[in-house]
Amino acid sequence: RDRGVGGAAELGVGGARHNRPIPVKPLIGVSSGTFDGFMGPYIALEEQNMDEQLVEFTSQREVDTRGELPVFTSSTALFVYIKNSITRCTNLTKGQTFFQLFASFQDTLKKYANVLEGMFPRPNAAVAAASAAINLSANIGIGAALANPSSVAASANSSSSGAQSYRIPPGEEITICHVIDTCEYCADTMEALEDLIRDKIEDKYKDKIDMSSEQEVFHDVTAKGIRVLVSGLENRADKAFRDMASIKWADMDVVGEESPYVRAIHEAICPFVISLRGLLPTSYFRNFCDKFATAFTTTFYNSLIKQKRISESGSQQLLLDVTTLKTLLLKLPVLEEKAGRTGGAKSKQGTKIAPAMYTKMVTKQFQRIEILLKLVGTPSELLVDMFKSQWEGGSALDFQVIMNLKGMKRNEQAVYLEKLGVDPSIARTGATHGATSSNITDHVQALQGRVSDV
């Protein structure tokens, strides 16, 4: 027999014959991998099935309340389908076809984020300019500010966000909370999904498995949801602010109990915030409180400076109202839930002490309002000294706003601007042009209206 190199066996010690193993490539996946290039119809079928689910989800509002926070059942159903789809695919192949299916999952999840975003109310046609922050001490020269009020308006407008305004129908704030909760659930679940796919797919594709961009899409929807809630609550308090603006503060000569508009603000804010506290994750609820408190105090301040004149008694009444509203805003993060609240969230037993940073922020925002009203009620002969001591960093334009609210005449304003240290020619120019807070706000509203038209 042939005992050459090509033989299948060799003689060992003592003439024993040993078989030499011949390496053979593994057969698992060979057959299925051969057809990876022809699995397009299979991928298309999976995509079609997921798209059909998305269409159904657009009209579904069922909520799963078994978890810590309520989420739409459509989200859990979608991830169950994806998991089953992974099982079906990996029984056939873990290579190219599975990677293509992963890309389909990415696309479907982004589409689902759009479905969730579509549950938000549509923005109002007009931009809510009244709530835009107006920086009366804008970074422009004092002379230019007094001589050209429109330059201040343009500066304030350029720094505003141009945020859209939303009106939330009664009860729909609960749906918006469910959207936010569902987005949070999806973003968290995608981390486990990413790990599952990376664990099952062939090695050469592992480094390409990344769902961070899809998570970011859901985070963006969450951020928009918070903005919608803030704007929606602002709009619910809008009538109360209109009632406040209609009061003749210039003719008020008696200080009484809190004004009716204050109670209206309470009734608009409290039920809304209580619902949100029980439905949103703690970090998102605090973020909502921060944003709403800032928006509310800005709107209140702008409503004040749009008044033509406020009497001394009017300023005292407003200070009383502000004290009540400040107490409400300070309690915003810890408002108690009412028994029998709807929405499907589990009851929370949170702290009754508001976060220190929130308290500091709200106190600072209201301090600006309180100083304004105290100065409006200050006798004219003491105004310059009181302004310098109480309004830290106050500008000449701020000072003129106060004089305008006091009803001081133009020539009188020029004299007091000179006492403040403003150049006499600039003071006279500013007083002549009447750079009041009211027309500055009007300029900002007009400019924002033009932007929204574009």
Side-chain angles (χ1 to χ4, degrees):
R1 294 183 182 178
D2 183 8
R3 299 179 185 270
V5 176
E10 293 181 352
L11 286 175
V13 177
R17 190 176 297 273
H18 297 288
N19 292 327
R20 174 182 292 176
I22 300 176
V24 178
K25 292 184 179 180
L27 297 177
I28 298 175
V30 172
S31 177
S32 57
T34 304
F35 294 99
D36 268 336
F38 305 93
M39 295 292 281
Y42 165 73
I43 298 296
L45 179 61
E46 291 283 13
E47 291 176 347
Q48 179 183 342
N49 290 338
M50 289 187 287
D51 285 345
E52 289 175 355
Q53 279 192 312
L54 292 175
V55 172
E56 294 176 2
F57 294 163
T58 57
S59 59
Q60 290 183 4
R61 295 292 188 274
E62 291 83 0
V63 174
D64 185 348
T65 60
R66 292 173 296 177
E68 182 179 351
L69 291 169
V71 299
F72 290 118
T73 56
S74 58
S75 62
T76 56
L78 179 59
F79 280 107
V80 167
Y81 182 89
I82 289 175
K83 184 178 179 180
N84 291 336
S85 179
I86 290 173
T87 301
R88 288 191 294 270
C89 184
T90 52
N91 284 335
L92 299 173
T93 175
K94 298 181 180 181
Q96 178 183 337
T97 300
F98 189 23
F99 184 70
Q100 290 174 336
L101 186 61
F102 162 71
S104 299
F105 294 156
Q106 290 178 298
D107 184 57
T108 297
L109 287 167
K110 287 180 179 178
K111 290 178 180 178
Y112 182 61
N114 291 334
V115 170
L116 293 175
E117 185 177 4
M119 297 181 186
F120 294 149
R122 294 192 177 188
N124 296 339
V127 175
S131 62
I134 300 176
N135 183 5
L136 296 177
S137 56
N139 294 324
I140 57 178
I142 292 177
L146 294 174
N148 186 13
S150 61
S151 66
V152 181
S155 177
N157 182 57
S158 65
S159 63
S160 68
S161 62
Q164 292 176 310
S165 174
Y166 296 87
R167 292 193 181 277
I168 302 175
E172 279 301 299
E173 65 271 15
I174 294 176
T175 298
I176 297 171
C177 289
H178 289 162
V179 170
I180 293 172
D181 294 338
T182 302
C183 286
E184 180 76 354
Y185 164 76
C186 290
D188 290 344
T189 305
M190 271 189 283
E191 293 183 9
L193 178 62
E194 183 180 308
D195 292 339
L196 175 64
I197 295 173
R198 189 180 292 112
D199 181 62
K200 289 182 175 292
I201 204 165
E202 290 181 359
D203 290 344
K204 64 180 179 180
Y205 295 106
K206 289 185 184 297
D207 292 340
K208 299 179 181 179
I209 305 303
D210 183 6
M211 305 193 82
S212 57
S213 62
E214 287 69 38
Q215 287 178 303
E216 192 62 33
V217 171
F218 283 96
H219 290 319
D220 289 343
V221 176
T222 295
K224 180 178 179 180
I226 298 296
R227 293 195 300 270
V228 171
L229 289 171
V230 170
S231 178
L233 185 51
E234 282 186 274
N235 276 301
R236 289 197 183 179
D238 184 58
K239 183 181 182 303
F241 278 110
R242 292 199 305 271
D243 292 342
M244 169 193 167
S246 67
I247 297 174
K248 296 181 179 179
W249 299 104
D251 300 334
M252 187 170 291
D253 55 6
V254 177
V255 179
E257 297 180 350
E258 64 183 38
S259 304
Y261 76 88
V262 176
R263 175 49 49 191
I265 289 176
H266 268 265
E267 293 172 352
I269 289 177
C270 288
F272 191 99
V273 173
I274 288 170
S275 291
L276 266 57
R277 187 187 181 200
L279 289 167
L280 291 178
T282 300
S283 59
Y284 292 145
F285 177 66
R286 288 182 178 177
N287 182 255
F288 162 82
C289 290
D290 290 345
K291 292 182 182 300
F292 178 74
T294 300
F296 179 88
T297 51
T298 299
T299 300
F300 194 93
Y301 184 89
N302 290 341
S303 297
L304 285 178
I305 64 177
K306 288 194 70 176
Q307 297 294 319
K308 291 183 178 179
R309 190 172 78 84
I310 300 175
S311 68
E312 183 176 347
S313 295
S315 66
Q316 294 299 320
Q317 180 64 54
L318 282 164
L319 277 169
L320 178 64
D321 295 342
V322 165
T323 300
T324 304
L325 293 173
K326 179 181 177 181
T327 301
L328 171 64
L329 268 290
L330 286 172
K331 292 181 179 179
L332 208 65
V334 292
L335 285 176
E336 295 291 344
E337 296 179 78
K338 293 181 180 179
R341 177 185 48 77
T342 60
K346 295 181 178 180
S347 178
K348 291 183 180 178
Q349 298 296 328
T351 178
K352 294 185 178 181
I353 302 175
M357 290 298 293
Y358 173 84
T359 300
K360 182 178 179 181
M361 181 270 292
V362 170
T363 300
K364 183 177 180 180
Q365 293 283 344
F366 272 99
Q367 186 178 35
R368 184 185 181 212
I369 296 172
E370 291 165 342
I371 290 174
L372 173 72
L373 291 171
K374 288 176 182 178
L375 290 173
V376 169
T378 298
S380 298
E381 60 271 17
L382 302 176
L383 187 58
V384 173
D385 291 336
M386 290 292 288
F387 178 80
K388 288 180 177 179
S389 63
Q390 293 198 22
W391 197 312
E392 183 179 354
S395 68
L397 185 58
D398 295 323
F399 187 69
Q400 192 169 6
V401 166
I402 294 167
M403 291 190 294
N404 184 66
L405 291 174
K406 289 175 67 66
M408 296 172 66
K409 296 180 179 179
R410 300 300 182 205
N411 57 346
E412 193 178 6
Q413 290 188 21
V415 172
Y416 278 91
L417 283 169
E418 288 184 42
K419 290 183 179 180
L420 186 66
V422 178
D423 183 88
S425 60
I426 295 176
R428 288 191 296 273
T429 303
T432 301
H433 281 272
T436 68
S437 54
S438 178
N439 59 38
I440 289 173
T441 305
D442 290 339
H443 278 298
V444 174
Q445 290 174 329
L447 287 169
Q448 288 183 330
R450 293 172 195 165
V451 171
S452 65
D453 292 339
V454 174

